[in-house]
Amino acid sequence: QQQVKQSPQSLIVQKGGISIINCAYENTAFDYFPWYQQFPGKGPALLIAIRPDVSEKKEGRFTISFNKSAKQFSLHIMDSQPGDSATYFCAAGSGGYQKVTFGIGTKLQVIP
Amino acid sequence: NAGVTQTPKFQVLKTGQSMTLQCAQDMNHEYMSWYRQDPGMGLRLIHYSVGAGITDQGEVPNGYNVSRSTTEDFPLRLLSAAPSQTSVYFCASREQSMNTEAFFGQGTRLTVV
């Protein structure tokens, strides 16, 4: 049972285009929504995160959009570059310790 | 400042063998955790620790043991390896004030034959 559903599983985008990855959740106890970037052979790296009281957060070319009523959030990568080719994970955290539940990942390929 | 260091990077075990995956961090982080990553399943929490002497189970704890005798180290033990434990294992750490995993090691790729 996936608590955080992520789509698509793979994505091919032209250089300069916009990459969009979507996630949905059911558990309303989730109160923190991070995104991670993982290159082959490396551990995940925290990319950007948002709280549910904010509808959008932007850091450079990366933007999280959050829709609390729909229980959905998405990552937009503007002006996608070949160096952005990686696997991206959405996640959700809750509780005092903030256990983190991950989506299944999206493998992004940005082609020149 | 090495961050989170995992050893070994690769390991092949025979079914029934035991081994310990090592994890060490030099950032004085209170929280440490172990995840396994399997294709199509993302990362799943195995065990975590909120400080020396304190550990708890995550989503998939069966077949794994942990202990936390120091702030720096958080080893993961496989008592009797099974093919279902073939996976890539990641250790993570963060400060208590952080809301999500902040630093991951480079992973240990384990194959159980």
Side-chain angles (χ1 to χ4, degrees):
Chain A
Q1 178 184 348
Q2 272 186 314
Q3 291 198 55
V4 179
K5 296 183 179 180
Q6 183 172 349
S7 63
Q9 289 193 43
S10 64
L11 181 62
I12 299 176
V13 173
Q14 291 269 352
K15 178 182 175 181
I18 302 173
S19 304
I20 301 174
I21 304 170
N22 300 301
C23 286
Y25 64 97
E26 288 296 326
N27 188 351
T28 55
F30 288 141
D31 59 6
Y32 198 73
F33 300 90
W35 285 87
Y36 291 84
Q37 179 188 57
Q38 184 181 32
F39 293 105
K42 303 293 185 182
L46 180 61
L47 191 61
I48 187 173
I50 197 169
R51 287 196 175 279
D53 54 349
V54 176
S55 61
E56 185 175 282
K57 183 173 182 180
K58 184 175 181 179
E59 288 185 5
R61 297 184 292 109
F62 299 90
T63 300
I64 301 178
S65 297
F66 189 85
N67 186 330
K68 188 174 182 179
S69 61
K71 291 186 283 187
Q72 296 175 347
F73 57 111
S74 60
L75 177 70
H76 291 62
I77 306 174
M78 312 301 287
D79 187 25
S80 299
Q81 299 296 313
D84 297 330
S85 297
T87 299
Y88 293 82
F89 293 93
C90 64
S94 66
Y97 166 71
Q98 286 285 350
K99 285 185 183 180
V100 182
T101 301
F102 287 81
I104 63 171
T106 297
K107 187 172 183 179
L108 170 66
Q109 184 181 0
V110 181
I111 54 177
Chain B
N1 192 339
V4 179
T5 302
Q6 288 184 239
T7 55
K9 288 190 176 180
F10 302 93
Q11 183 70 49
V12 178
L13 284 180
K14 293 183 178 178
T15 298
Q17 285 186 319
S18 63
M19 79 160 295
T20 299
L21 279 62
Q22 301 291 343
C23 176
Q25 53 93 6
D26 60 0
M27 297 170 283
N28 202 32
H29 287 169
E30 297 92 341
Y31 290 2
M32 296 185 73
S33 52
W34 276 102
Y35 291 85
R36 59 177 291 172
Q37 182 175 19
D38 302 290
M41 303 193 76
L43 288 90
R44 292 179 293 168
L45 181 65
I46 304 172
H47 285 287
Y48 66 97
S49 170
V50 297
I54 306 169
T55 64
D56 206 346
Q57 295 181 352
E59 181 186 353
V60 288
N62 292 341
Y64 307 95
N65 277 354
V66 292
S67 61
R68 183 107 179 261
S69 56
T70 67
T71 299
E72 294 78 20
D73 300 299
F74 191 42
L76 179 71
R77 297 183 190 84
L78 283 72
L79 299 180
S80 179
S84 61
Q85 294 179 304
T86 293
S87 186
V88 181
Y89 292 84
F90 288 100
C91 179
S93 78
R94 57 172 136 141
E95 293 180 355
Q96 185 179 1
S97 60
M98 301 190 74
N99 295 297
T100 190
E101 308 296 2
F103 298 92
F104 281 86
Q106 298 228 349
T108 295
R109 183 174 292 275
L110 175 68
T111 303
V112 183
V113 298

